[in-house]
């Protein structure tokens, strides 16, 4: 967990949301950013056919796309790195972005004051439990009666960076998988804007307690 020790305004920092699929979190964050007057540069997707890009087009939200299926991994990441540099992005917010960010991109977001990359990700489990894909499904199948969501700083590993926020939900006896996922998603939509408030607004330096 993180604690706040020092005030340094980050209010004017820009951020870009990265998403690959439906984008319910991305849309939620975009709306929150508008309300709070945060400098959201728009939404990026690596999939041209993603629901989130259609939503952006219909709703006039600035959007960017580099098709990961069209390029080699190296070429894709080089193009993404160039785009992020051109846009002058300060923070990356990963909202269902299904690709790994390589070191050559991560390193451009390193903030030595907080000793972290200025990148956060939302994950549908109580990390370190169930990193990787299909986390709700795996927790449900495992019979877990307590699950949750995590928002964490991104590091070189997969879903391994320091936790910024975590919140639990309880599974009821009669819950089906769909109910379980619904509880998780609703918590995601509640908590991600709070995480955004922490990194944008505040006026803080984050230091690991551990
Ligand atoms: C969410 O469950 C998030 O935790 C995970 O990917 C999913 C994205 O959902 N990283 P959506 O596209 O925001 O609806």
């Amino acid at each position: 967990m993180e604690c706040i020790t020092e005030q340094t305004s980050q209010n004017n920092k820009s951020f870009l949301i990265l998403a690959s699929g439906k984008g319910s979190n991305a849309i939620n964050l975009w709306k929150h950013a508008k309300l709070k007057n945060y400098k959201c540069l728009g939404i990026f997707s690596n999939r041209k056919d993603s629901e989130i890009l259609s939503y952006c087009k219909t709703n006039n939200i600035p959007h960017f796309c580099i098709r990961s299926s069209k390029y080699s991994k190296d070429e894709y990441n080089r193009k993404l790195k160039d785009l992020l540099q051109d846009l002058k992005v300060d923070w990356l917010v990963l909202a269902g972005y299904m690709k790994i960010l390589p070191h050559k991109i991560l390193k451009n977001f390193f903030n030595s004051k907080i000793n972290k990359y200025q990148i956060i990700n939302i994950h549908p489990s109580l990390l370190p439990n169930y990193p990787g894909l299909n986390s709700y499904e795996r927790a449900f199948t495992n019979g877990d009666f307590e699950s949750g969501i995590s928002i964490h700083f991104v590091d070189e590993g997969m879903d391994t960076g320091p936790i910024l926020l975590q919140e639990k939900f309880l599974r009821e006896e009669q819950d089906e998988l769909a109910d379980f996922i619904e509880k998780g998603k609703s918590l995601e939509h509640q908590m991600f804007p709070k995480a955004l408030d922490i990194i944008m607004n505040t006026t803080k330096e984050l230091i690991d307690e551990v």
Side-chain angles (χ1 to χ4, degrees):
M1 282 294 171
E2 309 288 330
C3 70
I4 300 157
T5 58
E6 198 179 300
Q7 308 270 308
T8 48
S9 178
Q10 301 230 350
N11 227 347
N12 55 350
K13 296 293 174 192
S14 69
F15 73 99
L16 184 70
I17 302 167
L18 272 59
S20 301
K22 189 161 184 277
S24 68
N25 280 290
I27 296 164
N28 188 44
L29 287 176
W30 168 262
K31 290 180 178 167
H32 184 72
K34 289 288 112 187
L35 276 178
K36 293 287 186 100
N37 227 7
Y38 297 154
K39 193 170 167 191
C40 184
L41 300 171
I43 299 177
F44 169 89
S45 179
N46 61 304
R47 285 185 40 211
K48 199 180 165 193
D49 61 348
S50 56
E51 282 180 59
I52 185 58
L53 279 193
S54 310
Y55 181 90
C56 288
K57 285 173 197 156
T58 312
N59 292 280
N60 285 322
I61 297 172
H63 54 278
F64 309 88
C65 179
I66 299 167
R67 292 164 66 188
S68 53
S69 60
K70 188 175 167 190
Y71 301 103
S72 69
K73 200 201 278 185
D74 275 0
E75 226 176 327
Y76 167 77
N77 283 318
R78 193 174 39 75
K79 285 177 180 294
L80 177 57
K81 179 172 157 274
D82 290 348
L83 175 72
L84 299 175
Q85 268 167 352
D86 289 350
L87 290 174
K88 299 194 184 350
V89 181
D90 294 314
W91 281 83
L92 288 179
V93 177
L94 312 187
Y97 178 62
M98 305 302 284
K99 308 285 293 176
I100 300 281
L101 292 170
H103 184 72
K104 69 176 171 202
I105 291 182
L106 291 185
K107 71 178 174 32
N108 291 343
F109 289 86
F110 189 70
N111 179 336
S112 56
K113 272 187 168 179
I114 58 174
N115 198 29
K116 290 173 178 67
Y117 300 113
Q118 293 192 159
I119 308 174
I120 57 169
N121 177 48
I122 189 159
H123 187 77
S125 77
L126 293 173
L127 288 171
N129 299 335
Y130 306 109
L133 296 175
N134 304 321
S135 308
Y136 287 141
E137 288 80 355
R138 286 187 285 143
F140 183 85
T141 309
N142 234 7
D144 295 2
F145 271 82
E146 185 178 88
S147 189
I149 66 105
S150 307
I151 296 153
H152 66 96
F153 288 94
V154 168
D155 65 7
E156 274 81 2
M158 187 193 286
D159 305 322
T160 49
I163 302 292
L164 178 60
L165 291 176
Q166 234 171 11
E167 198 66 37
K168 293 176 182 168
F169 67 87
L170 297 178
R171 166 189 187 163
E172 306 291 326
E173 202 68 58
Q174 70 278 7
D175 280 353
E176 305 284 348
L177 174 61
D179 304 310
F180 190 83
I181 294 177
E182 181 51 45
K183 284 180 179 174
K185 292 289 268 200
S186 137
L187 214 47
E188 291 183 27
H189 297 159
Q190 212 179 300
M191 298 306 293
F192 216 176
K194 291 186 182 171
L196 188 61
D197 287 344
I198 293 176
I199 62 168
M200 286 288 115
N201 248 340
T202 51
T203 67
K204 5 182 125 173
E205 182 134 341
L206 302 158
I207 308 249
D208 278 338
E209 268 176 358
V210 211

